[in-house]
Amino acid sequence: MSSAPPLPDHAADASTAIACDIFCAVIDNFGDIGVCWRLARQLASEHGWQVRVFVDDLHAFQKLCPALTLERARQTVSGIVVEHWREPAHAGDTLEVADVVIEAFGCELPPVYVAAMAARTRTPVWINLEYLSAEDWVADFHLRPSPHPRYALTKTFFFPGLGPGTGGVLKERHLDGARAAFESSPTAREAWWRQATGHAPPPAAATVVSLFAYENPAVDSLLEQWRDGASPVVLLVPEGRISGALARFFDLPSFAAGSHAVRGNLSAHALAFTDQAGYDALLWVSDINFVRGEDSFVRAQWAAKPFVWHIYPQADDAHLPKLDAALAHYARTLPADARDALGRFWHAWNGAGRPDWAQLQRHAPALERRAGEWAGELAQVGDLAGNLALFAKTQLI
Ligand code: TRH
């Protein structure tokens, strides 16, 4: 990723551009900063906004944005100002409040910043960007205002979702074009395989699977099924929380980036964690993608390939209705037997039962068709950055 500012699709004069501050507290993993960084880049490059990102964990951020320098309290990357948000009270060296303030995932804004928002001549638009859920209630709560108890400020809840009436999910304008160019270029794909795995692309008969997941007891059974299966499987595993299980299965000390292993009909490559664009390419070279959390779950949908979701586990199984709500959208028009096979597989991957790979693969043609159709349906909801920018502009008038 280059540190040169991108040319905005709508070039804006710096003096008139909408200024936007995004606050992000990293709870764990990469989804919090993954979503905020993607949103920041879109608001800057597609809408010409001047964006600052306040983030409390530069280590997590640097994994998906290698251009970032860990030691710097303030830096500019891809035209976006990044501030290391070190303590609850810190809000940048100079307290300039933006026109639009996005509080990601309920992270608390620094009180000094909120006080400055209230004192600003032109009241800023304050948005609380929520986590993605495909549940029906989301459309009712999207854009609900919440007045501040002490200041003359209103926070608006912005809910991502998969259905009409929600904020949608992030989708860059160039994404479909980039995917089509990659998929139609044997040279680009060959270069990807050599660079990411050190090997030539596998034969067309192999099923290529990407595996990005949390620790998952179901993985051992799946690895055995792939090893003993009738047709070859090539597994691509970004280094991370599932890598220990791969190392144990292959009887290796670790399954770090650059490792390769073969057992029966299964061959596996461990990949380095890349920037976000690199992760999209991984989804595009694969026939089926195992994804997790929030942002990779969305990217798999735009990749228009069948996918399996390891949802972020919550206390009291609060995540299970969310899993079913996503399935209800995604599997809606599948034939009943394919819908059942997919539902059973997703549930098994999330702790209920044993995943049956052969059964899932029997429905591969229907799943592939549905994946393409669903990407089209989801696009109808509109891109989250565009929806958010439109809403903010109506409030700024
Ligand atoms: O990392 P995640 O599990 O993130 C989250 C967090 O746990 C968060 O707290 C939780 O609330 C949320 O899930 C639901 O999964 P996610 O959301 O898919 O984020 C991963 C990000 O990392 C995504 O932006 C894609 C990116 N990525 C890369 O940029 N390069 C890579 O090589 C890989 C594997 C991922």
Side-chain angles (χ1 to χ4, degrees):
M1 191 168 295
S2 123
S3 58
L7 268 185
D9 291 358
H10 296 299
D13 178 342
S15 60
T16 56
I18 292 174
C20 172
D21 282 349
I22 303 178
F23 285 82
C24 173
V26 175
I27 305 297
D28 55 8
N29 306 313
F30 306 104
D32 306 292
I33 187 59
V35 169
C36 290
W37 183 232
R38 199 180 288 292
L39 173 63
R41 284 185 296 142
Q42 261 191 276
L43 291 174
S45 69
E46 297 182 6
H47 300 275
W49 288 17
Q50 285 188 303
V51 184
R52 280 197 301 187
V53 174
F54 291 84
V55 56
D56 62 354
D57 183 348
L58 292 182
H59 280 95
F61 192 1
Q62 196 196 38
K63 289 273 280 178
L64 46 83
C65 176
L68 204 73
T69 305
L70 291 180
E71 296 73 32
R72 297 183 67 180
R74 186 189 179 110
Q75 57 197 296
T76 302
V77 183
S78 302
I80 292 155
V81 175
V82 176
E83 295 257 7
H84 188 191
W85 182 17
R86 279 154 295 172
E87 64 219 45
H90 176 81
D93 292 332
T94 51
L95 199 61
E96 306 152 44
V97 171
D99 304 302
V100 180
V101 180
I102 301 175
E103 176 180 328
F105 313 124
C107 72
E108 292 260 311
L109 294 186
V112 60
Y113 188 93
V114 179
M117 282 167 74
R120 197 177 191 256
T121 321
R122 196 177 178 207
T123 309
V125 179
W126 184 359
I127 291 173
N128 188 340
L129 175 64
E130 286 291 338
Y131 284 114
L132 169 62
S133 171
E135 292 164 295
D136 287 343
W137 59 262
V138 162
D140 293 335
F141 284 81
H142 179 51
L143 298 185
R144 279 224 188 155
S146 163
H148 193 278
R150 283 184 294 120
Y151 296 121
L153 290 169
T154 298
K155 177 152 69 173
T156 301
F157 287 88
F158 198 95
F159 277 89
L162 302 184
T166 72
V169 290
L170 294 170
K171 183 185 189 192
E172 298 86 354
R173 288 181 191 155
H174 73 266
L175 184 63
D176 286 340
R179 179 168 65 88
F182 184 85
E183 288 179 345
S184 63
S185 166
T187 320
R189 280 182 286 120
E190 160 109 22
W192 185 90
W193 278 96
R194 295 216 178 265
Q195 190 275 325
T197 72
H199 288 68
T207 301
V208 179
V209 180
S210 82
L211 180 63
F212 182 45
Y214 309 114
E215 296 80 359
N216 192 326
V219 77
D220 298 318
S221 155
L222 203 50
L223 291 167
E224 286 166 11
Q225 293 174 53
W226 286 330
R227 177 194 63 197
D228 303 336
S231 56
V233 167
V234 175
L235 187 59
L236 301 171
V237 191
E239 200 176 13
R241 290 177 57 177
I242 197 94
S243 301
L246 275 286
R248 280 192 299 282
F249 181 81
F250 291 120
D251 206 13
L252 294 170
S254 72
F255 202 60
S259 306
H260 309 283
V262 180
R263 292 283 185 284
N265 243 341
L266 169 65
S267 51
H269 303 282
L271 309 184
F273 203 94
T274 67
D275 64 13
Q276 287 183 313
Y279 182 63
D280 279 330
L282 169 60
L283 300 173
W284 301 338
V285 298
S286 303
D287 297 304
I288 177 163
N289 293 300
F290 284 68
V291 292
R292 74 182 202 193
E294 176 161 331
D295 192 54
S296 58
F297 164 66
V298 170
R299 302 315 278 184
Q301 294 170 67
W302 296 136
K305 301 278 182 67
F307 72 96
V308 179
W309 186 23
H310 195 176
I311 192 170
Y312 184 77
Q314 289 177 278
D316 302 325
D317 286 342
H319 56 287
L320 292 181
K322 297 182 184 166
L323 186 79
D324 286 329
L327 264 175
H329 283 277
Y330 183 59
R332 191 174 54 86
T333 61
L334 277 173
D337 50 355
R339 195 168 56 233
D340 285 354
L342 184 71
R344 266 201 295 279
F345 200 96
W346 278 33
H347 280 113
W349 193 238
N350 287 280
R354 173 183 171 276
D356 186 338
W357 177 249
Q359 189 198 44
L360 188 74
Q361 280 303 87
R362 270 198 288 283
H363 300 286
L367 295 172
E368 279 156 23
R369 265 195 310 278
R370 176 59 186 156
E373 182 189 283
W374 169 247
E377 275 177 42
L378 184 57
Q380 301 300 312
V381 184
D383 151 57
L384 187 147
N387 291 339
L388 187 147
L390 202 65
F391 169 75
K393 278 191 201 147
T394 62
Q395 304 299 299
L396 282 170
I397 290 165

